[in-house]
Amino acid sequence: MRIGFGTDLHVLRVGEGLMLGGVPVPCGYAFEAHSDGDVVLHALVDAMLGCAGLGDIGEKYPPSAIRKGESSTRFVTETLALLGKAGLALVNVDCVIDLEVVKLGDTKKVIRASLASLLGLDAACVNVKAKTAEGVGAVGEGRAVSAQAAVLAMRVAPGEGE
Ligand code: MG
């Protein structure tokens, strides 16, 4: 068994919506980012890379390797393929979204389904939590949104080259 952990934060600007876990969330803000700024997927990719000992998202996807505004789902599907090559299969995923500017409510369930679909997991193996920051700090003051993700993976085959 291997665990991985990842975090991300992006600054907000005035805009027409946030992409969270591959799900568009309409609101008066947008992410300041080179990609779509999806903090949930970025934290998830770092957790996935972490469980396989494969470094971090900044090494795999420097700004020069990202098209402006592109969907972060590509990073997830490519990283999933890397885990497959490493002989690892995801078991479950848990994540936290820290945001003050919009109430997610039932959107959490949509994000859960989106992550499950992206990862090829049953929705029961994916959990999405949302928290506010009690009005303090960059998240609490509505200047940023952050996310954390933890994944568990198990070895199902020898990794390539092992
Ligand atoms: Mg990011």
Side-chain angles (χ1 to χ4, degrees), residues 61-76:
Y61 298 103
S64 59
I66 304 171
R67 293 189 308 279
K68 186 70 187 160
E70 89 162 290
S71 167
S72 298
T73 55
R74 174 171 70 90
F75 314 150
V76 176

Side-chain angles (χ1 to χ4, degrees), residues 21 23 107-118 121 123 126 128:
V23 174
T107 305
K108 282 187 287 185
K109 290 183 193 148
V110 184
I111 295 171
R112 180 187 200 181
S114 166
L115 296 180
S117 167
L118 270 172
L121 288 173
V126 177
V128 175

Side-chain angles (χ1 to χ4, degrees), residues 4 16 40 43 46 52 59 79 104 118 123 130 137 150:
E16 289 172 354
V40 180
D46 256 351
E59 295 166 6
T79 304
L104 288 181
L118 270 172

Side-chain angles (χ1 to χ4, degrees), residues 7-10 33 35 37-39 42-43 57:
T7 72
D8 195 34
L9 175 148
H10 278 282
S35 66
D38 192 325
V39 288
H42 296 179
I57 192 171

Side-chain angles (χ1 to χ4, degrees), residues 5-89:
F5 177 64
T7 72
D8 195 34
L9 175 148
H10 278 282
V11 168
L12 297 173
R13 60 174 170 79
V14 172
E16 289 172 354
L18 303 173
M19 194 62 84
L20 293 170
V23 174
V25 178
C27 63
Y29 300 86
F31 284 123
E32 202 70 74
H34 202 75
S35 66
D36 62 4
D38 192 325
V39 288
V40 180
L41 297 189
H42 296 179
L44 175 63
V45 166
D46 256 351
M48 292 165 73
L49 290 170
C51 82
L54 290 172
D56 67 46
I57 192 171
E59 295 166 6
K60 296 277 181 220
Y61 298 103
S64 59
I66 304 171
R67 293 189 308 279
K68 186 70 187 160
E70 89 162 290
S71 167
S72 298
T73 55
R74 174 171 70 90
F75 314 150
V76 176
T77 51
E78 289 179 359
T79 304
L80 193 60
L82 287 179
L83 294 201
K85 280 186 189 163
L88 295 169

